[in-house]
Amino acid sequence: MKKLINLLIFFVFITGFTSYAQTARVKGVLLDESNKPVENATIKAGDVTTNSNENGFFQIKIPANVKVTVEITHVSYKKTSVIVELKNNEDFELNVVLSQNAEGLGELVITSSGRKRVEGITTIEPQVIRKIPGANAGVENILKTLPGVYSNNELSTSYAVRGGNYDENLVYVNEIEVYRPFLIRSGQQEGLSFTNTEMVSNVDFSAGGFQAKYGDKLSSVLDITYRRPTKFQAALDASLLGGSATVDLVSKNQKWSNITGIRYRNNSLLVNSQETESNYTPTFADIQTQINFDASTKWEWSFLGNISQNKYHYQPLTRQTNFGTIDEPIALLVYYDGQEKDEYTTYFGAVKSTYQANEDSKYKFIGSIYHTQEQEYFDILAEYRLGEVDSNIGSDTFGDVVYSRGVGSQLTHARNNLDALIVNTEVKGFHNIKKKSSQVEWGFKYTREDIRDRLVEWEVIDSAGFSLPQPDIVLPNDQPYTPYYGPLAPYQNVRATNFVQINRFSGYGQWNYRGTIGSSQIWFNAGARVHDWKVQGDNLNGKNQIVFSPRAQFAIKPQWENDMLFRLSGGLYQQPPFYRELRDYNGAVNPNVKAQKSYHIVVSNDYSFKLSGRPFKLVSEAYYKILSDVNTYTIDNVRIRYRANNDATAYVYGADFRLNGEFVPGTESWFSFGYLKTEENQNNRGNIARPTDQRLKFGLLFQDYMPALPNMKLYLNLVYNTGLPGGSPSYADPYLYQTRLKDYRRADVGFSYVFKDATIQSSRNWLKRFREFALGFEIYNMFNNQNAITNTWVRDVYTKSQYAIPNYMTTRTFNIKLNFRL
């Protein structure tokens, strides 16, 4: 094995060095007439041929000191050629805008943007992601404005899609799957998303009905591509919430390139706006780097690395939550003692190699390692009073609790540790057949998951001096009249140590076809996935399980006067359990948990049109899902706890609409609306709402500028969601608690004064070195709405009932931002 590795290294370097002999290089970016990158264009120089990648980028080696004709061809565009004569080791940058070819099949089916349109993929521009304000700005912040995507937690990067939960979404960066932390239980612990927005060149998102190549999850796919630098540049962003710095580097011979980003975030500004007063000292930081090496015109290598560390130290002090009605106001007043110390350290590394065997065949080899070490330690004593509030405006005690309905205390303790190592190796193939009207794609992947988990949690509840045992301990307790001889058991107690290994083999194959039926253009995709896995560990020996998932998509564009596209997609989507899904409420691992199954059918229509001479598009989708072997769960903030018994069935149906376009000339905005209903049936007891049953959703992303002051930009991010099910008290039957939280309403607005960018130039000397320079002011939760994420259940000792106390999110907060690019 060692000899093979040495031979491979020797081959790579020999290939790189031999390319210097009397050669030069031509590189550049190919765009279409709407400034979208053109993928799979053929660039030919003599006997050497290459293709542009998904970003439109290409580079080709040519002989030096002779005249060479470089030809650029694509079935959808007119042929372009240029004659160059370069010196030895000289580089020539050739950026071309390709014109439409009237004889081709047209932009819809052939170009990158057209391909994504027929596949039902939403593409988000990186410039929009960087500009739109949000308490946790980034890719996920923008996703929450799209139809079918739901989130009630502005501090979290987690999101739910069309009735699924946070664990049902695939996330890829450069075709490499990335993971979320395991022990996160609240949004304020998360800190940073894996994705570094400043390094992004392309973001694709699919909310359902996606192709077989995208993996084994039930709900959605987020496919992110980092850019390949072509020249030196640097960027810096700073605000009251933290900052980031990014640098692009390119070697003189253009063979090596690197992009590195460093980020730091501090959520104190947001957490301190919540109802709980606290001492909060977080540190969220990471560094990411991507190194690219072009060994030859056929071989490309890249390395993606990430090191992140989240230190979350939290010491709550006091809290007062007012609820109830105007006639009967009630308040929960809490005094805290203790603290929480959580730490998450993650290491991630991936190597990717692409080999262009010929014009019609390409292979990719991917290997990645993900290692996370997480700890969650806390001891917090909460002493509470639940009582009536003085609502007399003229009273000296106005707003204070004047009569207690219940008093008590709660002591929570945790010593949770987790160490996870996940290793992936994968090979993919891409083949054009029949003059590129058809493509075949395939892939095989092996995954090894090694989890070491220690779970120690307990909770003691005391009411008026009497310890309350678990509700399922049936013993008489008539204190103080009769002594209590039962065990002094905690109200909740979970202790478990699990060493688990999971071996997975998966693969896919799919076929793409484009053509015509009469005068209509069609596109068809059919494929299937196979997944084999087995769970083992200390005192665990699960059975071997295999699932098969066929999927298909069909799109047709009639030759109508109106630009219409109709799309039908669906299939069987199966999600083999990850470690969290194997662990039940008591921390025990069930190695034989089945894969959850979901039959999807999605019908959609795209209507592109112009209004006042500006482009617009209306996307309408209706979907229906039938789920079996459902692994039911509860959600507490962002922590999901599974029952791990596949004891339910479920269904989801709904409709999504999105209108986007240039409401203001030169800027893209959109309005989205979604409706869904999802219910589950546990053990044939009847249908009840699932934890993600969020019926209505409105989203607005709007960009504007002042005509009299074009340097001043406005960005508005607005979301309205109807209330989620509010959960139930511990040990309670969810069929008896079907309450809902209040509606989620949030508006974030940002104002940015642009001193210089691609469209705004400045004659000031100090700005000449900058490509962009802007200073901004942001208002989060502009209308100061009280949004709840979960309920805290508190007992009233007089009526013996429990009250659902909403846990409110952040209030109105102000932020200042500075960003510039060299």
Side-chain angles (χ1 to χ4, degrees):
M1 185 66 183
K2 186 176 180 181
K3 291 182 178 179
L4 180 62
I5 294 175
N6 291 335
L7 181 62
L8 180 61
I9 296 173
F10 176 79
F11 169 75
V12 169
F13 278 95
I14 289 298
T15 305
F17 287 131
T18 56
S19 65
Y20 284 95
Q22 298 299 308
T23 60
R25 295 161 61 90
V26 177
K27 67 172 185 175
V29 177
L30 305 182
L31 302 175
D32 61 17
E33 293 169 313
S34 57
N35 288 327
K36 299 293 185 180
V38 177
E39 184 180 6
N40 287 329
T42 300
I43 300 93
K44 185 177 181 181
D47 297 330
V48 181
T49 302
T50 188
N51 295 87
S52 58
N53 65 15
E54 60 270 19
N55 301 316
F57 179 80
F58 75 91
Q59 53 188 7
I60 190 169
K61 183 172 60 176
I62 66 172
N65 302 315
V66 295
K67 291 184 178 180
V68 178
T69 300
V70 179
E71 295 181 351
I72 302 172
T73 58
H74 194 288
V75 293
S76 297
Y77 301 95
K78 294 180 180 179
K79 178 181 176 181
T80 301
S81 62
V82 62
I83 300 175
V84 295
E85 182 177 357
L86 304 179
K87 297 178 181 179
N88 185 32
N89 289 332
E90 184 179 354
D91 292 283
F92 179 78
E93 187 169 334
L94 178 64
N95 299 320
V96 179
V97 177
L98 299 180
S99 301
Q100 196 77 41
N101 186 347
E103 288 75 30
L105 287 178
E107 177 186 0
L108 169 69
V109 175
I110 304 300
T111 67
S112 177
S113 59
R115 175 181 59 80
K116 294 172 183 177
R117 183 180 172 191
V118 298
E119 293 176 4
I121 293 175
T122 300
T123 299
I124 305 174
E125 296 295 334
Q127 295 85 352
V128 176
I129 297 171
R130 289 192 283 265
K131 293 176 181 177
I132 299 303
N136 209 335
V139 175
E140 295 84 359
N141 179 52
I142 301 299
L143 290 184
K144 294 172 185 179
T145 67
L146 297 178
V149 183
Y150 298 83
S151 176
N152 283 20
N153 193 335
E154 59 269 14
L155 293 177
S156 172
T157 59
S158 303
Y159 54 90
V161 179
R162 292 181 176 174
N165 67 30
Y166 308 140
D167 292 337
E168 297 178 9
N169 306 306
L170 284 161
V171 180
Y172 294 101
V173 174
N174 292 351
E175 300 183 81
I176 303 159
E177 186 174 358
V178 297
Y179 303 90
R180 296 176 57 239
F182 289 75
L183 297 183
I184 291 289
R185 72 171 63 208
S186 69
Q188 63 195 44
Q189 296 173 353
E190 287 194 37
L192 294 166
S193 164
F194 180 92
T195 307
N196 187 329
T197 305
E198 288 295 332
M199 300 171 66
V200 168
S201 68
N202 189 72
V203 176
D204 293 337
F205 178 74
S206 175
F210 44 87
Q211 299 175 22
K213 67 179 181 180
Y214 280 123
D216 297 295
K217 294 284 188 179
L218 295 182
S219 294
S220 73
V221 172
L222 177 62
D223 190 8
I224 297 169
T225 304
Y226 282 175
R227 70 174 178 268
R228 293 176 63 94
T230 57
K231 61 181 180 180
F232 170 80
Q233 57 184 15
L236 176 68
D237 292 297
S239 75
L240 299 180
L241 291 171
S244 68
T246 310
V247 177
D248 292 15
L249 300 173
V250 181
S251 66
K252 187 176 181 181
N253 60 19
Q254 301 292 316
K255 283 183 169 294
W256 293 88
S257 64
N258 168 252
I259 178 171
T260 299
I262 300 175
R263 296 182 295 171
Y264 171 81
R265 182 175 174 87
N266 188 321
N267 280 343
S268 298
L269 180 71
L270 298 169
V271 174
N272 290 336
S273 73
Q274 294 181 291
E275 288 185 327
T276 302
E277 295 185 13
S278 63
N279 293 324
Y280 179 63
T281 54
T283 301
F284 306 130
D286 83 338
I287 178 171
Q288 287 191 38
T289 186
Q290 177 180 277
I291 303 172
N292 307 302
F293 172 59
D294 297 322
S296 68
T297 56
K298 292 181 177 292
W299 275 104
E300 293 180 3
W301 295 80
S302 67
F303 168 78
L304 176 63
N306 175 71
I307 300 175
S308 66
Q309 185 174 65
N310 289 7
K311 290 186 176 181
Y312 174 83
H313 294 176
Y314 180 69
Q315 184 179 13
L317 301 175
T318 63
R319 165 186 173 180
Q320 180 170 339
T321 301
N322 297 322
F323 64 105
T325 64
I326 296 177
D327 296 332
E328 190 180 2
I330 304 175
L332 174 69
L333 185 61
V334 186
Y335 296 94
Y336 294 97
D337 189 17
Q339 63 180 331
E340 178 174 355
K341 289 187 176 182
D342 303 332
E343 294 187 6
Y344 311 91
T345 304
T346 300
Y347 305 91
F348 176 84
V351 176
K352 177 180 175 182
S353 177
T354 301
Y355 175 64
Q356 187 76 47
N358 53 54
E359 183 179 351
D360 295 321
S361 294
K362 180 167 59 176
Y363 302 92
K364 295 182 179 180
F365 308 92
I366 301 173
S368 67
I369 298 177
Y370 173 84
H371 185 209
T372 180
Q373 294 175 308
E374 305 176 15
Q375 76 167 39
E376 183 182 40
Y377 291 178
F378 59 80
D379 289 281
I380 297 178
L381 173 64
E383 297 177 312
Y384 70 85
R385 294 172 59 198
L386 178 68
E388 298 177 3
V389 178
D390 186 355
S391 58
N392 186 353
I393 298 179
S395 173
D396 294 336
T397 58
F398 174 72
D400 296 336
V401 176
V402 294
Y403 176 75
S404 295
R405 291 189 175 189
V407 294
S409 63
Q410 176 191 49
L411 175 61
T412 56
H413 166 94
R415 293 294 185 272
N416 299 330
N417 292 89
L418 184 139
D419 189 304
L421 179 67
I422 302 174
V423 180
N424 292 288
T425 58
E426 185 175 10
V427 58
K428 294 181 177 181
F430 307 82
H431 308 281
N432 292 316
I433 57 178
K434 293 184 178 180
K435 298 181 180 180
K436 299 186 180 180
S437 63
S438 297
Q439 295 85 36
V440 173
E441 300 182 35
W442 54 268
F444 297 100
K445 183 177 181 180
Y446 168 70
T447 301
R448 166 80 174 186
E449 300 165 10
D450 195 340
I451 314 293
R452 300 189 175 197
D453 179 28
R454 185 191 72 165
L455 184 66
V456 179
E457 290 184 22
W458 50 258
E459 174 187 17
V460 175
I461 295 180
D462 183 272
S463 180
F466 306 110
S467 179
L468 302 179
Q470 297 180 7
D472 55 5
I473 298 180
V474 183
L475 289 171
N477 186 356
D478 193 25
Q479 296 186 81
Y481 308 105
T482 304
Y484 175 67
Y485 295 103
L488 293 177
Y491 193 75
Q492 294 188 76
N493 185 21
V494 178
R495 292 175 181 268
T497 300
N498 301 311
F499 293 170
V500 179
Q501 296 86 41
I502 308 175
N503 290 291
R504 303 181 188 271
F505 296 89
S506 60
Y508 71 90
Q510 67 177 44
W511 170 61
N512 306 320
Y513 171 77
R514 64 175 183 270
T516 59
I517 297 180
S519 60
S520 300
Q521 302 171 32
I522 65 168
W523 183 88
F524 180 72
N525 167 272
R529 294 191 62 84
V530 177
H531 195 126
D532 174 278
W533 79 97
K534 185 175 182 179
V535 180
Q536 295 176 303
D538 290 0
N539 301 317
L540 296 173
N541 189 17
K543 60 184 180 181
N544 196 78
Q545 301 186 61
I546 301 176
V547 295
F548 177 75
S549 306
R551 307 171 189 178
Q553 295 179 319
F554 175 76
I556 182 170
K557 182 182 184 301
Q559 209 55 23
W560 294 347
E561 181 179 350
N562 293 326
D563 186 357
M564 288 277 194
L565 171 73
F566 298 92
R567 187 172 52 250
L568 174 66
S569 59
L572 173 59
Y573 293 77
Q574 303 195 64
Q575 181 168 320
F578 201 48
Y579 174 70
R580 277 189 296 259
E581 299 162 70
L582 299 171
R583 196 177 70 181
D584 65 14
Y585 283 1
N586 297 317
V589 171
N590 177 5
N592 295 319
V593 173
K594 300 178 182 177
Q596 300 184 84
K597 300 179 179 63
S598 178
Y599 293 90
H600 288 204
I601 182 169
V602 183
V603 181
S604 59
N605 168 257
D606 289 14
Y607 173 40
S608 299
F609 60 96
K610 288 193 175 182
L611 188 64
S612 300
R614 299 192 296 271
F616 288 84
K617 182 167 71 171
L618 174 64
V619 179
S620 308
E621 291 192 330
Y623 57 90
Y624 185 75
K625 304 179 188 179
I626 299 176
L627 293 87
S628 59
D629 291 327
V630 173
N631 194 349
T632 55
Y633 57 88
T634 60
I635 297 179
D636 181 9
N637 203 300
V638 298
R639 186 193 194 192
I640 299 177
R641 299 182 65 184
Y642 291 92
R643 294 183 177 88
N645 55 12
N646 300 111
D647 66 342
T649 60
Y651 69 85
V652 186
Y653 67 81
D656 291 333
F657 304 89
R658 177 173 177 253
L659 175 65
N660 69 294
E662 295 186 10
F663 293 91
V664 176
T667 62
E668 182 186 18
S669 303
W670 62 72
F671 171 80
S672 61
F673 166 75
Y675 168 81
L676 79 80
K677 182 177 181 180
T678 179
E679 291 184 329
E680 62 189 18
N681 184 353
Q682 300 180 24
N683 292 319
N684 296 317
R685 297 180 62 191
N687 290 324
I688 59 172
R690 304 190 79 196
T692 54
D693 182 35
Q694 196 147 33
R695 297 295 174 83
L696 297 178
K697 185 260 178 67
F698 297 89
L700 174 67
L701 187 146
F702 187 73
Q703 302 184 71
D704 198 0
Y705 62 89
M706 299 181 182
L709 190 62
N711 293 58
M712 181 63 71
K713 311 289 185 179
L714 178 144
Y715 309 101
L716 177 64
N717 182 3
L718 187 149
V719 174
Y720 170 84
N721 299 328
T722 53
L724 283 166
S728 58
S730 298
Y731 296 98
D733 185 348
Y735 276 80
L736 302 179
Y737 284 85
Q738 285 297 295
T739 60
R740 284 187 178 267
L741 299 169
K742 293 183 178 180
D743 296 349
Y744 181 86
R745 300 163 295 167
R746 186 175 181 88
D748 299 327
V749 64
F751 302 91
S752 179
Y753 187 86
V754 180
F755 293 89
K756 184 180 180 181
D757 65 6
T759 59
I760 299 175
Q761 299 301 311
S762 175
S763 59
R764 301 173 184 175
N765 290 331
W766 65 277
L767 285 172
K768 289 183 179 180
R769 68 184 65 183
F770 298 102
R771 290 186 297 113
E772 298 180 20
F773 194 99
L775 181 64
F777 174 71
E778 297 178 334
I779 307 174
Y780 306 142
N781 196 3
M782 181 170 57
F783 301 114
N784 204 27
N785 294 311
Q786 283 191 315
N787 296 312
I789 181 64
T790 52
N791 284 324
T792 296
W793 296 86
V794 177
R795 183 186 300 270
D796 182 340
V797 296
Y798 293 100
T799 66
K800 308 301 182 185
S801 60
Q802 295 199 67
Y803 287 88
I805 314 298
N807 296 315
Y808 292 119
M809 298 301 294
T810 59
T811 58
R812 185 189 295 119
T813 310
F814 303 95
N815 187 31
I816 299 174
K817 289 183 65 176
L818 169 68
N819 57 77
F820 63 80
R821 285 161 180 78
L822 299 176

